[in-house]
Amino acid sequence: MSEFDTLASYLSVAPEIGLTILLLIVLAFSVARREVERAAVPYIAGFGMIALAALPLIFAPGDANSTIPEGLYWGGMIRYDVLAQVFRVMILLAGGITALMASGVRGVGRRGEFYIVIIVATLGMSLMSASADLVMVFVALETTSIPLYILAAFKRDDTRSAESGIKYFLFGSFASAIMLYGLSLLYGFTGQTNIYQLAAFMGSDAFANNLVPVLASMVLVVVGFGFKVSAVPFHFWTPDVYEGAPTPVTGYVSVASKAASFALLVRFFVAVYPETLALSGESLQNFWIQLMAVFAVLSMTLGNVLALSQKNIKRLLAYSSIAQAGYTLIGVAAIQSQELSIASVGFYMFMYTFTNLAAFTVVILFSEATGSETIADLAGLNRRSPWLALAMTIALLSLAGIPPTAGFFGKFFVFNAAVRSGLTWLAVVGVLNAIVALYYYLVVIKVMYVDRSEDEDKPIPVGRQYVWVLWATSLIVIVLGTVGAQTVYDWAARGAMGLFT
Amino acid sequence: MEIGIGAYVVLSAVLFTLGALGVMLRRNAIIVFMSVELMLNAANLAFVAFARQFNDVNGHLFVFFVITVAAAEVGIGLALIVAIFRTKKSINIDSMNQLKG
């Protein structure tokens, strides 16, 4: 990026520009006078974002972008490489699916501003996956978080939604303030804000004996990331927010916000604390590998154990999502296997996005029809709506990691990376946890297929857009678990290479 | 008398600690929120002090972004506190106990 290349610069933020335009279109339609135009808003927002997911594929980053500084745009704020491309595609698809999912939900679906806020949050996440500067990291994180606080409290007259919003807000702003202080320390050590220059300055002789302050800054930043991916011990907010927020928002927070945070986390840590950086003879990478390994074990174990006793399906999926963050953190901790590690994180998030969205779509349809979110009330779902029960089964098997669903390869790649980087014990803990998790996923399947209920002659009404969403997500989950796994994994692996230059 | 960079960094660390303690110990949502703002401003002070030390404009620039983001956060935060007050008639954090388990 020696001179300012106008066209390439704009193309590097093409999805963001597209989202801004889409936002204005949705805004215009949501205040339209005619009812038929207002009713089109969810479809414009949903299909608009799905269409925008093609932009990163059309304007793919060139081979030169995998090197520094060629991949940097806008004065070093944006790094457009294959990893950013992978995560942008999954975030935009998740945003579009969420908009379609929300369209039939009472109190949310007919409100145009809901879709505007979703688009803004998607914009922030898209920037997160490409941030290359401390300023951009902070601004993108907050552009994501602030709309999500609004979304969680969207049914503001509902006490549970308001409570979930304020809890999310107080924990979230606390975590980002802690992270910001960590960023200010990093700036103080180096006088640089570009994450690709921090390491070189911290490795200079002036810093040779300042291990403690550098570690302090690392811990502060880890708190912020730990909150965003809901890793134990920063997970307090997760079950409450997931239960209280409107269900489409829960689905969105659990996949897109987590995916964007993992994209930023791997980019940030690989760039700022690389393998080569050693202070006082201690490799900094070892410290964060240990931190991530501990978080992974805690998140998997606590998430799975607490999920066992849940009665509410949204709360169960909340604890399951804490555990899933734990599996992904195994992939992050396995960083010494280089691109195997980052590629496994990318694949895991890709398959988790569609799996969890499918599960939440079924939960939305069920709770809209019956007003219940209790697991026991899912009894007889197979006789009420066999296709819904089948979609839920595919999603739950994928979360559990059973072939032929995508979750199997997700876990396989993560554990493979752990073994290759000498963390075999971590892979063993992961496998043991997967067995515990299988129990509570199978209990839900058993309730749907075996238990009887009095309402078996009342099928669940399924709107047309929900049929599309369920077919699409279920098919993607199956394809990623069979023929598509290699393709997506190779794509993520190409993205991973760009981080190690 | 010249005040060195060390004094600013210590002050910002003290403010940050006070803010963090306020978040953890106080039970009134508005006070908790003010404590978060104190932490953000502690970071701002550190940024400005370091930027002056390095004679570098990026730190000053960062502070403008943080102030803008904090303003947006205030807008959302106060709206959420109003919403919770309307439903619960209280802004005590301990009263927000409907969701648990």
Side-chain angles (χ1 to χ4, degrees), chain B residues 55-69:
Chain B
N55 215 355
D56 173 51
V57 76
N58 280 323
H60 297 296
L61 187 137
F62 205 140
V63 172
F64 280 107
F65 279 99
V66 176
I67 291 172
T68 316
V69 165

Side-chain angles (χ1 to χ4, degrees), chain A residues 70-88:
Chain A
E70 265 69 30
L72 291 175
Y73 295 95
W74 299 105
M77 291 285 162
I78 296 284
R79 166 96 195 267
Y80 186 41
D81 55 6
V82 180
L83 194 76
Q85 184 197 24
V86 173
F87 276 93
R88 277 173 167 177

Side-chain angles (χ1 to χ4, degrees), chain A residues 444-464:
Chain A
V444 178
I445 295 176
K446 176 223 149 209
V447 169
M448 289 190 305
Y449 278 87
V450 179
D451 290 3
R452 305 298 297 248
S453 100
E454 294 167 358
D455 300 325
E456 282 171 12
D457 52 342
K458 293 181 204 144
I460 310 272
V462 182
R464 199 164 17 126

Side-chain angles (χ1 to χ4, degrees), chain A residues 27-39:
Chain A
L27 183 64
F29 270 86
S30 67
V31 294
R33 189 170 299 167
R34 284 192 295 163
E35 170 62 25
V36 61
E37 286 168 359
R38 291 202 301 276

Side-chain angles (χ1 to χ4, degrees), chain A residues 275-318:
Chain A
E275 201 174 3
T276 46
L277 180 60
L279 302 180
S280 311
E282 301 266 8
S283 162
L284 277 174
Q285 198 179 50
N286 276 334
F287 281 100
W288 69 266
I289 289 174
Q290 283 161 16
L291 271 178
M292 293 300 149
V294 170
F295 288 168
V297 171
L298 287 177
S299 304
M300 286 186 299
T301 313
L302 208 77
N304 283 328
V305 169
L306 289 177
L308 291 174
S309 60
Q310 294 307 318
K311 304 273 181 286
N312 179 307
I313 183 76
K314 275 164 84 177
R315 244 184 139 73
L316 177 109
L317 288 172

Side-chain angles (χ1 to χ4, degrees), chain A residues 160-223:
Chain A
R160 301 198 314 155
S161 181
E163 184 177 322
S164 120
I166 193 140
K167 279 185 174 163
Y168 195 13
F169 169 72
L170 288 176
F171 284 122
S173 52
F174 184 45
S176 40
I178 293 176
M179 184 170 169
L180 180 68
Y181 200 75
L183 299 184
S184 83
L185 289 183
L186 279 177
Y187 175 68
F189 300 147
T190 59
Q192 300 293 324
T193 55
N194 195 294
I195 63 172
Y196 291 101
Q197 288 172 350
L198 291 170
F201 279 81
M202 281 196 288
S204 65
D205 291 342
F207 253 93
N209 294 312
N210 278 338
L211 183 63
V212 175
V214 174
L215 279 186
S217 75
M218 186 197 294
V219 170
L220 291 171
V221 173
V222 163
V223 171

Side-chain angles (χ1 to χ4, degrees), chain A residues 234-251:
Chain A
F234 312 107
H235 68 291
F236 309 100
W237 59 280
T238 316
D240 289 357
V241 171
Y242 281 26
E243 188 188 343
T247 316
V249 177
T250 310

Side-chain angles (χ1 to χ4, degrees), chain A residues 57-76:
Chain A
L57 296 172
I58 297 169
F59 305 118
D63 288 336
N65 282 23
S66 62
T67 57
I68 296 291
E70 265 69 30
L72 291 175
Y73 295 95
W74 299 105

